[in-house]
Amino acid sequence: MFRGALDNRIFVALGFFQPNQKKSMKRFFDDELNTIRSHLSLMGEKAIEQLRTAIKALIERDREAAERVRRNDDILDELEVKIDEEAIRFVGLRGPVARDLRLVVVGMKAGHDLERVGDEANNIAKRALKLVDEQPVKEYVDIPRMAAMAEEMLRDALSAFFDGDEAKAIDVCQRDGEVDKINKQLYRELVGCISERPSTTTAAIELMFVSKSLERIADHATNIAEEVIYLLRGEDVRHTKEVSPD
Amino acid sequence: MNPEQNHSTNTGNRQAATSRQEVSQQQIQVEAKDLGERASYDPHYIRIRNYDFFYGATQVLFDINMDLPERQVTALIGPSGCGKSTLLRNLNRMNDLIDGIRHNGDVLIDGESIYHPQLEVISLRKRVGMVFQKSNPFPKSIYENVIYSLRVAGGRRKSQLDEAVERSLKRAALWDEVKDRLHESAFSLSGGQMQRLCIARAIANDPEIILMDEPCSALDPIATGKIEDLIHELKENYTIVIVTHNMQQAARVSDRTAFFYLGKLIEYGETQQIFMNPKNNQTEAYVSGRFG
């Protein structure tokens, strides 16, 4: 999804192709930075796919889909290792400064966040497998809603990265609170279900874990968005009012 | 550094030199501690104001305005021909030796204009020492190289000269390597040692400022490392301005960095800011090797 447009976008994201500015020279090591970015793009696609499949497995009680998620987790782990190797090699051999340095650091951190998204999708798939034979606690409303919000945040954080879109990154950060709220609300509802119908306890606890995983995925999307702001602005905005108004 | 004290030493005032000899190691440590505890050094020690510079009809510097702080390392970077070496050489008026030069604006060191009509260029150059790209020891012994300027200034007393040689070579981190061969030719030294000898020679004059014009460009990485460590130590006592084409070196040794292009000061700031988050796109392209 991102790879096709990557080459055209990279220098926009790097901020070198701005109106009325002299174009910067392309260097041989730009291809190496592109490799880091394309691996990150691939990781983003895979992480989103894993999340979607895990949620599908949960809602449709699809055992095969859940097992596919568990099998595919290795792909994200391998990509994370590849990004780290490329980034460390780049630091060691190319001595990056300024945006190049920030890109390499952000690449490593975002890679780690996406790997964690994969882990959370894997956790959801595990829960889905356990829930295949359980009676439903309640109709799935909040879980798909949370999943859609978390997925949208991930997608936007990644497109903010590839498009160099600071406003979009800030917007992602500001949406995190909403997912947190639904998670808390769902937790309360599930606790209510357990007291009303103790037979649903096992299934309700599994759903609490699923909800927590989705909340964590939204946190990772927020981390990526904060990293994008750092890449573009050179300023660490974590824990500031701009990105966490609450 | 007290300019008056320097002046008295520079003119060979025996009393000052003797009293300096008597300063115990303990006192030196106390002084160093005091310096370290001083909140900040004069941030406007060298002031360059609306400075234009011309070689004949060709203008090579355009309206430069910058303040260089005392006892810090300021790196001047930029592509060849950007005017950084010209600016460096003007700080002790080395360019006065070239015909047809002229300038507008002013350069003040510790509040005094370097172009003041009463100022003798020789005394300016005592205050502002210089180390060149290629080490240029005189065809004399190591010892005579270090005290050359003191001899020119009339220094005769052996104990005073011996003390100056030891102090300067120690400060230039060369003493241990040459203390047993002080009377051998300076040309017997390695490239890196020769460059440190030139730094010792500049220090012997007890300057306030040391200008370095690509001091490591002819040296191997080990000698370069020694000079960089030396620069780091020297800034305790001296204000250092260095021109370098080596970006990593500027990032390693300097506190502030100025980027020049086509005779103009494009960006000037804390070195960390220039290399981590430059504000100007040209600076960004230059420090990341994409300028062209």
Side-chain angles (χ1 to χ4, degrees):
Chain A
M1 144 188 150
F2 298 109
R3 274 171 297 166
L6 188 65
D7 288 344
N8 299 331
R9 294 179 185 182
I10 178 164
F11 286 110
V12 177
L14 285 170
F16 292 144
F17 287 3
Q18 286 180 3
N20 307 319
Q21 288 285 346
K22 187 179 171 181
K23 281 187 185 178
S24 292
M25 187 164 60
K26 188 175 182 306
R27 296 296 309 273
F28 69 95
F29 51 71
D30 286 335
D31 289 341
E32 297 169 354
L33 289 176
N34 271 340
T35 305
I36 294 176
R37 295 167 64 88
S38 67
H39 279 137
L40 209 58
S41 165
L42 188 59
M43 270 193 99
E45 282 179 52
K46 288 284 169 201
I48 289 171
E49 190 186 314
Q50 287 284 83
L51 169 62
R52 288 179 77 105
T53 313
I55 293 297
K56 177 179 178 288
L58 176 77
I59 292 169
E60 296 177 10
R61 296 169 175 269
D62 184 341
R63 191 184 295 274
E64 197 280 320
E67 278 162 358
R68 200 164 62 234
V69 171
R70 306 214 56 202
R71 280 196 307 274
N72 287 346
D73 190 43
D74 289 350
I75 299 174
L76 285 171
D77 294 348
E78 282 163 20
L79 281 168
E80 187 200 13
V81 171
K82 261 189 195 167
I83 289 176
D84 282 359
E85 281 172 2
E86 285 152 4
I88 289 166
R89 178 180 175 277
F90 196 88
V91 170
L93 299 183
R94 310 293 178 228
V97 295
R99 276 177 207 248
D100 290 348
L101 178 58
R102 299 204 298 274
L103 177 65
V104 170
V105 171
V106 166
M108 288 177 84
K109 293 178 85 171
H112 179 67
D113 278 310
L114 290 172
E115 189 271 336
R116 297 291 302 146
V117 169
D119 287 348
E120 297 298 348
N122 195 19
N123 285 338
I124 294 172
K126 264 194 246 173
R127 310 288 167 197
L129 279 174
K130 286 187 183 170
L131 287 169
V132 165
D133 301 321
E134 291 280 338
Q135 285 296 314
V137 181
K138 64 193 262 304
E139 200 189 339
Y140 287 128
V141 177
D142 291 322
I143 296 272
R145 203 169 123 219
M146 272 178 90
M149 287 170 78
E151 184 190 324
E152 199 59 27
M153 283 171 72
L154 259 183
R155 226 176 257 291
D156 285 351
L158 290 165
S159 84
F161 176 79
F162 291 106
D163 293 343
D165 188 339
E166 196 179 312
K168 192 180 261 181
I170 293 170
D171 184 55
V172 169
C173 299
Q174 290 172 341
R175 276 145 54 191
D176 187 39
E178 231 171 300
V179 180
D180 291 348
K181 263 187 219 161
I182 302 175
N183 176 44
K184 279 181 192 153
Q185 183 194 317
L186 187 58
Y187 177 83
R188 280 194 299 270
E189 279 177 29
L190 289 167
V191 169
C193 289
I194 293 171
S195 11
E196 281 167 26
R197 285 181 295 148
S199 61
T200 61
T201 304
T202 309
I205 289 174
E206 296 298 341
L207 286 182
M208 282 177 187
F209 281 121
V210 169
S211 173
K212 185 67 192 164
S213 284
L214 291 171
E215 188 266 334
R216 291 297 302 144
I217 289 174
D219 286 348
H220 290 300
T222 306
N223 289 349
I224 295 171
E226 287 169 346
E227 287 148 16
V228 171
I229 298 168
Y230 174 69
L231 169 68
L232 299 174
R233 209 192 273 178
E235 186 189 322
D236 192 341
V237 294
R238 286 175 300 177
H239 318 298
T240 62
K241 282 223 174 334
E242 185 178 11
V243 292
S244 351
D246 304 331
Chain B
M1 193 178 298
N2 180 347
E4 286 176 19
Q5 195 182 357
N6 292 333
H7 181 71
S8 64
T9 307
N10 291 340
T11 50
N13 182 316
R14 280 184 191 183
Q15 203 176 355
T18 312
S19 70
R20 180 169 291 206
Q21 273 181 311
E22 286 166 2
V23 172
S24 69
Q25 193 61 33
Q26 194 182 6
Q27 279 173 303
I28 291 169
Q29 281 167 358
V30 170
E31 266 182 31
K33 191 163 166 265
D34 288 345
L35 288 172
E37 284 172 358
R38 265 172 53 180
S40 62
Y41 301 124
D42 181 357
H44 314 290
Y45 187 62
I46 302 174
R47 289 170 190 247
I48 302 171
R49 289 286 177 269
N50 308 111
Y51 193 72
D52 301 322
F53 190 78
F54 303 79
Y55 290 119
T58 310
Q59 185 168 359
V60 289
L61 290 173
F62 296 83
D63 195 30
I64 307 296
N65 281 286
M66 60 190 290
D67 288 358
L68 285 72
E70 184 183 18
R71 270 171 275 183
Q72 289 208 346
V73 181
T74 303
L76 311 182
I77 62 170
S80 295
C82 70
K84 57 192 187 303
S85 286
T86 299
L87 181 67
L88 186 85
R89 293 164 67 88
N90 280 352
L91 295 179
N92 70 353
R93 291 179 57 180
M94 286 287 287
N95 285 329
D96 284 14
L97 304 170
I98 300 168
D99 288 335
I101 54 128
R102 67 186 175 88
H103 74 277
N104 298 320
D106 206 354
V107 176
L108 294 97
I109 294 176
D110 206 10
E112 294 170 32
S113 169
I114 64 167
Y115 293 108
H116 193 286
Q118 305 292 316
L119 180 117
E120 284 182 35
V121 176
I122 299 293
S123 71
L124 172 69
R125 291 188 191 144
K126 279 182 182 165
R127 289 176 68 189
V128 188
M130 187 147 191
V131 177
F132 297 88
Q133 184 173 2
K134 194 171 177 311
S135 55
N136 53 352
F138 302 135
K140 291 175 177 290
S141 68
I142 296 165
Y143 184 97
E144 287 299 326
N145 261 278
V146 177
I147 47 102
Y148 184 79
S149 59
L150 302 182
R151 278 217 196 281
V152 170
R156 291 278 181 275
R157 199 157 155 241
K158 189 173 181 307
S159 61
Q160 184 195 346
L161 297 177
D162 286 351
E163 188 269 341
V165 167
E166 185 172 341
R167 176 170 47 87
S168 306
L169 287 171
K170 276 184 174 167
R171 281 193 170 176
L174 188 59
W175 174 252
D176 288 341
E177 292 164 56
V178 302
K179 63 185 177 193
D180 300 325
R181 48 193 279 215
L182 290 173
H183 298 285
E184 285 181 22
S185 165
F187 295 133
S188 67
L189 298 173
S190 70
Q193 287 173 327
M194 277 197 242
Q195 193 63 304
R196 277 181 283 151
L197 177 65
C198 293
I199 293 172
R201 193 172 62 192
I203 291 171
N205 251 327
D206 226 350
E208 296 156 47
I209 298 166
I210 303 174
L211 309 177
M212 297 184 169
D213 193 352
E214 295 186 56
C216 303
S217 63
L219 302 181
D220 70 19
I222 296 166
T224 298
K226 284 185 181 171
I227 300 281
E228 287 180 2
D229 287 349
L230 178 58
I231 290 170
H232 193 72
E233 280 171 31
L234 288 174
K235 75 173 180 179
E236 289 291 317
N237 297 301
Y238 307 95
T239 302
I240 297 172
V241 190
I242 178 170
V243 162
T244 178
H245 277 134
N246 181 336
M247 294 298 100
Q248 299 291 322
Q249 181 169 70
R252 279 193 298 265
V253 303
S254 71
D255 300 292
R256 295 179 71 79
T257 297
F259 170 58
F260 289 82
Y261 183 53
L262 298 176
K264 290 178 183 155
L265 177 59
I266 306 296
E267 189 167 354
Y268 177 45
E270 298 284 334
T271 295
Q272 182 173 329
Q273 179 254 311
I274 297 288
F275 284 92
M276 293 296 293
N277 193 14
K279 303 294 173 213
N280 184 285
N281 279 14
Q282 286 179 316
T283 314
E284 171 101 36
Y286 186 73
V287 297
S288 53
R290 291 197 176 82
F291 206 79

